[in-house]
Amino acid sequence: MMTDSKKQVVLMKGIGVSSGIVIGRAYTLERGMVEPAHFCYIDPSETEGEIERFSHALNASRDQLTRIKHKMEQDGKGKEHIRIIEAHLLILKDNMLINDTIKAIRDQRVNAEWALKTVLNDIMEYFDKMDDPYLRERAMDIEHIVNRLLLNLMGRKHESIAEIKEPVVVIAHDLAPTDTAQMVKGTVLGFLTDAGGKTSHTAIMARSLEIPAVVGLESITRQAEPGDIIIVDGTTGTVIINPSESVIEVYKRRRERYENYGKALFHYKDLPSETTDGKRVRLIGNMEIVEEIDALIEHGAEGIGLYRTEFLYLNRKDLPTEEEHVRAYRQVAKKMAPNPVVIRTLDVGGDKILPQMESQKEINPALGLRAIRFCLKNVDLFKVQLRGILRASSYGDIKIMFPMISGMEEVRLARQLLEECKRELKVEGKAFNQDIEVGVMIEVPSAAMIADLIVKEVNFISIGTNDLLQYSLAIDRVNEHVAYLYEPFHPAVLRIIKGVIEAANKAGVSVGVCGEMAGEPEYALILLGFGVDQLSMNAYSVLRVKRLIRSISHAEAKRICKSILAFATAKEVENYINTKLPGLYKEEFWS
Ligand code: PEP
Ligand code: MG
């Protein structure tokens, strides 16, 4: 690949949402922010003609999406992907979008493109007032559809990713899930967007397709030109435009090391996850959508430790039915059998609001009606899920877990509802596992403080370190301004985690960690030393963590943990751990 030494080198940092390194030519896609070609007033005699043009564009967009959907069905793409296209097709039938555009053409006597853009602006203004990132992503879905309509109105081609023939790095203001769903690994080497966050569907799909990606770059579409050579490092979120030959060489070596390291890790796949002195730590997986299971199995995950069921509720106008719950959970249980699957009940509220439900705007949503609090307020909705989980439990080793528990009453109330569902199912003659195990997430400091009491009333606990850090360090986990305070090595965090694990160990109750800490070897080392039984993480982390566990004795991990308790700052702990890690375990590929 020839570099152009006259072009300026640009280094950018975004959010790495899918790991790996790729080097390729930029391929810019026109997505997001399509500007109508022109504004014009129309003569009243032209109104019907404009409306007809608009309706042709609607039909053309519908046909295009239907074709994409059929192609995805033929290619055997998962239901989650297809449902997104179906949601987009529904937006095309939306009365507000259609009627308001027609009204604007009639009342304001403007061309269809302009009328449509005005309606979009109104809709966006409405969404802009909301803080919730999930709702903002729904607004983006509408924007994507309107852009497709605009391109059809203007007779411009909505270039499909499926048409890309050469291997390229795709660059766009934003990519719709309809785009990611069409990506073919090998042709789309990686992708970069101005917009986006870790929880967008686009990011989720990139991970499940294992295509390196960096999002949230803000100005990549302005910085990169078609044909530029680009380095994408999806692990660190680094992007280099027009790198020099020597930098390319550095990244090529890094890529090779990364790939070799990934391959070498498979050596550990069938080896037991145990320390040199025989302490077993079960390594299990976190998942959001069914497509992630294959990668978890491939990397040797011995079960699912956290199934985030929120994704069953998103991208749709109605709520999932009991049958849908049963189908989804049964599929996962069967695939993972005989290994266990922990299904976490709905964790919405806070930064994730269900579009199907009327909800009040909260001043402090992270401290608001979230997760179990939301479910205990919306009992009917909760019971549909509980019944679904129970019925699926007759097909495999399914366990149930309640999120965001802050006190014992919540545990008891949730368990009462579960018992009520069991009684109903019994009367209805429906099969379920009467002895289904029930656990809770420990992610609120108040629950952590009474972990010794909680473990008396549950079968297992799992520490959600993402939220436990948020609540114990008082830092909003989605606020980039306080991100520097997000320190898993903070002595307070370590003490809280230690206390919880010890309480569970003392009671003989299984204790796991399913927050991001579990998947990072340096933190896993500490969790091991504190005495954790299970660690739950994404597919790629499983073998990295197993490698660490197999490289150390439990006795040594305990000694390390004892020493770190004397340190006063996260930095001191980190420095100490860094002196300990190299002898045990070294991930050399970044050097
Ligand atoms: C956590 O809080 O650590 C956790 C695993 O749950 P989530 O990230 O879904 O809030
Ligand atoms: Mg959580």
Side-chain angles (χ1 to χ4, degrees):
M1 201 173 291
M2 286 289 289
T3 54
D4 185 346
S5 53
K6 281 191 228 80
K7 286 204 165 182
Q8 202 196 343
V9 180
V10 182
L11 174 75
M12 298 180 78
K13 201 87 178 136
I15 306 165
V17 292
S18 183
S19 295
I21 293 172
V22 285
I23 305 166
R25 296 256 179 215
Y27 184 98
T28 37
L29 272 185
E30 188 160 19
R31 291 289 193 276
M33 300 197 300
V34 174
E35 288 306 323
H38 61 291
F39 162 84
C40 64
Y41 282 114
I42 53 168
D43 191 81
S45 64
E46 293 169 325
T47 315
E48 291 314 310
E50 275 312 283
I51 293 173
E52 203 168 318
R53 257 186 358 98
F54 175 57
S55 120
H56 279 312
L58 274 172
N59 289 338
S61 305
R62 247 174 238 145
D63 290 349
Q64 287 159 359
L65 284 175
T66 309
R67 272 201 302 275
I68 293 173
K69 185 179 156 217
H70 287 159
K71 170 111 187 25
M72 285 165 68
E73 281 164 350
Q74 274 165 11
D75 294 348
K77 296 268 184 194
K79 279 207 185 76
E80 312 279 333
H81 296 206
I82 291 167
R83 220 170 48 210
I84 291 163
I85 311 280
E86 284 167 352
H88 282 190
L89 277 162
L90 274 180
I91 296 174
L92 276 178
K93 288 191 188 150
D94 187 87
N95 274 340
M96 183 170 160
L97 188 69
I98 299 174
N99 296 347
D100 286 8
T101 306
I102 294 176
K103 194 167 179 310
I105 296 172
R106 286 217 168 97
D107 296 354
Q108 296 168 31
R109 299 224 187 113
V110 291
N111 56 333
E113 288 89 339
W114 204 262
L116 180 59
K117 193 76 184 179
T118 321
V119 172
L120 175 69
N121 289 347
D122 289 347
I123 297 176
M124 288 300 132
E125 218 169 273
Y126 176 71
F127 275 99
D128 269 355
K129 292 193 192 112
M130 304 172 178
D131 302 327
D132 174 17
Y134 271 99
L135 281 183
R136 279 208 299 269
E137 274 159 31
R138 300 295 75 74
M140 272 182 218
D141 287 340
I142 298 174
E143 198 177 357
H144 290 306
I145 289 299
V146 169
N147 283 336
R148 183 183 284 277
L149 276 168
L150 278 171
L151 289 171
N152 279 320
L153 265 174
M154 294 188 284
R156 286 196 350 229
K157 206 162 151 244
H158 183 92
E159 206 175 352
S160 159
I161 285 196
E163 287 161 26
I164 299 175
K165 297 283 174 283
E166 300 283 300
V168 288
V169 173
V170 169
I171 292 178
H173 173 68
D174 191 14
L175 286 172
T178 42
D179 292 316
T180 354
Q182 296 179 75
M183 285 183 181
V184 178
K185 199 175 167 179
T187 307
V188 177
L189 298 171
F191 70 82
L192 308 171
T193 59
D194 293 332
K198 268 212 156 119
T199 59
S200 69
H201 292 108
T202 304
I204 292 161
M205 286 189 187
R207 284 196 287 276
S208 70
L209 295 167
E210 290 182 76
I211 293 178
V214 181
V215 305
L217 283 154
E218 291 182 4
S219 63
I220 186 71
T221 48
R222 267 183 279 130
Q223 305 277 2
E225 285 175 19
D228 280 353
I229 292 177
I230 309 234
I231 295 174
V232 179
D233 182 342
T235 312
T236 60
T238 305
V239 173
I240 308 173
I241 308 171
N242 298 316
S244 64
E245 295 283 358
S246 59
V247 170
I248 290 182
E249 282 313 309
V250 169
Y251 271 87
K252 276 187 180 163
R253 283 198 295 276
R254 221 173 249 198
R255 179 179 61 192
E256 205 180 312
R257 283 200 295 275
Y258 178 83
E259 286 169 0
N260 288 341
Y261 178 65
K263 281 185 208 142
L265 283 175
F266 276 92
H267 159 74
Y268 295 92
K269 185 181 163 186
D270 297 317
L271 297 176
S273 171
E274 69 184 16
T275 58
T276 55
D277 52 356
K279 156 101 177 156
R280 287 267 301 165
V281 178
R282 196 180 186 107
L283 302 185
I284 44 187
N286 290 355
M287 59 169 285
E288 287 79 24
I289 53 175
V290 173
E291 278 86 347
E292 285 164 299
I293 301 181
D294 289 340
L296 285 165
I297 294 174
E298 211 174 287
H299 286 81
E302 295 180 280
I304 300 294
L306 171 64
Y307 179 174
R308 290 183 166 102
T309 56
E310 298 78 78
F311 287 82
L312 288 173
Y313 294 73
L314 303 172
N315 260 323
R316 54 190 295 163
K317 291 196 165 166
D318 53 352
L319 291 164
T321 60
E322 184 178 312
E323 291 305 323
E324 284 178 70
H325 283 291
V326 178
R327 270 200 301 275
Y329 308 146
R330 186 175 51 199
Q331 191 185 357
V332 178
K334 279 187 167 174
K335 271 198 142 183
M336 285 317 290
N339 286 317
V341 174
V342 176
I343 300 180
R344 177 177 77 179
T345 58
L346 182 64
D347 180 359
V348 285
D351 65 342
K352 305 175 232 167
I353 292 175
L354 282 192
Q356 301 91 332
M357 303 282 291
E358 284 266 317
S359 56
Q360 292 198 331
K361 200 163 165 15
E362 297 175 297
I363 294 175
N364 289 309
L367 305 177
L369 201 62
R370 194 189 146 182
I372 197 70
R373 304 168 181 185
F374 176 88
C375 287
L376 292 175
K377 260 253 150 66
N378 294 282
V379 170
D380 291 346
L381 172 146
F382 192 30
K383 280 181 70 181
V384 173
Q385 184 177 33
L386 292 178
R387 286 173 54 102
I389 299 173
L390 280 170
R391 286 179 52 199
S393 70
S394 58
Y395 296 94
D397 186 4
I398 285 182
K399 302 173 201 276
I400 188 163
M401 180 161 76
F402 300 121
M404 236 203 121
I405 292 295
S406 63
M408 194 60 90
E409 291 86 351
E410 286 165 341
V411 183
R412 290 179 183 160
L413 276 172
R415 293 204 72 146
Q416 269 168 27
L417 286 170
L418 187 67
E419 289 309 312
E420 201 175 303
C421 291
K422 284 186 187 173
R423 280 196 297 277
E424 286 171 11
L425 290 174
K426 212 178 253 172
V427 172
E428 292 164 30
K430 296 198 168 116
F432 63 93
N433 173 10
Q434 173 67 37
D435 302 316
I436 188 168
E437 286 193 16
V438 178
V440 297
M441 289 190 73
I442 302 291
E443 46 186 352
V444 177
S446 57
M449 297 304 290
I450 57 162
D452 58 327
L453 303 174
I454 291 181
V455 289
K456 290 188 185 149
E457 300 196 19
V458 295
N459 303 104
F460 66 94
I461 57 170
S462 186
I463 308 176
T465 50
N466 305 339
D467 278 313
L468 188 60
L469 263 81
Q470 156 162 269
Y471 296 125
S472 55
L473 300 177
I475 42 159
D476 181 349
R477 70 191 251 200
V478 296
N479 181 339
E480 67 276 20
H481 304 297
V482 288
Y484 72 100
L485 289 171
Y486 201 84
E487 296 176 316
F489 281 135
H490 192 298
V493 172
L494 299 178
R495 283 168 198 222
I496 296 172
I497 292 176
K498 176 176 181 280
V500 174
I501 296 176
E502 275 176 4
N505 284 343
K506 205 162 159 201
V509 166
S510 164
V511 53
V513 174
C514 60
E516 294 304 300
M517 266 179 91
E520 291 298 326
E522 65 270 40
Y523 306 133
L525 165 64
I526 294 175
L527 300 170
L528 165 71
F530 283 155
V532 84
D533 299 307
Q534 350 211 3
L535 295 171
S536 191
M537 60 201 76
N538 65 55
Y540 180 69
S541 295
V542 175
L543 295 175
R544 294 170 66 208
V545 172
K546 194 192 278 188
R547 180 178 174 220
L548 165 87
I549 288 171
R550 292 186 56 83
S551 73
I552 189 171
S553 70
H554 190 217
E556 173 65 2
K558 281 201 262 191
R559 266 194 298 278
I560 293 175
C561 280
K562 208 164 170 199
S563 309
I564 59 172
L565 290 173
F567 295 117
T569 68
K571 193 78 209 151
E572 285 164 30
V573 177
E574 190 185 338
N575 291 342
Y576 178 75
I577 294 293
N578 283 342
T579 63
K580 291 284 163 193
L581 270 182
L584 308 164
Y585 161 97
K586 202 168 172 218
E587 286 193 310
E588 312 77 358
F589 60 88
W590 293 128
S591 50

